């Protein structure tokens, strides 16, 4: 299970005396549209600094709110023409995809079909590398805790399946 980086975007505004700036509102709108396209649902609220110099390599942070969870997007200016490259500082995990992917892994591990339920309250989980979340695996009529750890901003995870309950 992995997520990719957002694509390159352009958000330039003119300024006085030949100064070129990144238009924060335009950058926020483009990031919101890209997040909505990538993860489904409506465009999330995104806020960016109002003006950032369009200097090659300049970085600034924007904040999005996905499914009620804050997500920092670090933006790098890639050209003096105002092209920008946003990168997520955390993984965005689509819960339904996590359920399916983890169920397949647990099923392979135990040699029998499994179902996994992660977070029923959210459609998306925003988790920084090193953070964990818990799920429940059901195997052969028995429920077991499944501890899932996010390993990188691409959404790769490792998991630990709790032993079956004592009989």
């Amino acid at each position: 299970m992995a997520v990719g980086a957002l694509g390159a975007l352009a958000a330039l505004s003119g300024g006085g005396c030949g100064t070129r700036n990144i238009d924060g509102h335009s950058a926020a709108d483009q990031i919101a549209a890209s997040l909505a396209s990538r993860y489904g649902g409506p465009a999330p609220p995104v806020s960016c600094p109002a003006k950032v110099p369009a200097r090659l390599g300049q970085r600034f942070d924007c904040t999005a709110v996905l499914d009620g969870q804050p997500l920092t997007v670090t933006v790098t200016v890639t050209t003096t023409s105002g092209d920008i490259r946003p990168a997520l500082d955390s993984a965005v995990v689509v819960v339904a995809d996590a359920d399916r992917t983890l169920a397949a892994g647990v099923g392979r591990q135990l040699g029998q079909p499994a179902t996994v339920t992660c977070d029923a309250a959210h459609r998306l989980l925003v988790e920084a590398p090193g953070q964990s979340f818990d799920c429940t695996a059901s195997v052969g009529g028995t429920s077991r805790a499944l501890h899932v750890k996010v390993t990188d901003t691409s959404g790769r995870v490792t998991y630990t399946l709790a032993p079956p309950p004592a009989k």
Side-chain angles (χ1 to χ4, degrees), residues 15 22 26 40 65-66 74 81 105 120 123:
I22 302 298
S26 177
V65 179
L66 286 178
T74 299
S81 300
R123 191 178 66 76

Side-chain angles (χ1 to χ4, degrees), residues 29-70:
D29 289 347
Q30 291 178 43
I31 291 168
S34 183
L35 289 168
S37 173
R38 177 138 190 99
Y39 301 110
V46 177
S47 62
C48 296
K51 288 185 181 180
V52 176
R55 285 194 299 260
L56 189 60
Q58 177 77 32
R59 290 180 163 216
F60 60 97
D61 287 340
C62 297
T63 303
V65 179
L66 286 178
D67 202 4
Q69 303 158 89

Side-chain angles (χ1 to χ4, degrees), residues 39-40 65-71 91-100 116-127 132-135:
Y39 301 110
V65 179
L66 286 178
D67 202 4
Q69 303 158 89
L71 171 66
V92 176
V93 178
V94 178
V95 174
D97 293 346
D99 290 350
R100 280 190 299 277
V116 171
T117 304
C118 290
D119 189 333
H122 291 97
R123 191 178 66 76
L124 303 171
L125 294 175
V126 176
E127 301 288 347
S132 300
F133 58 95
D134 292 317
C135 303

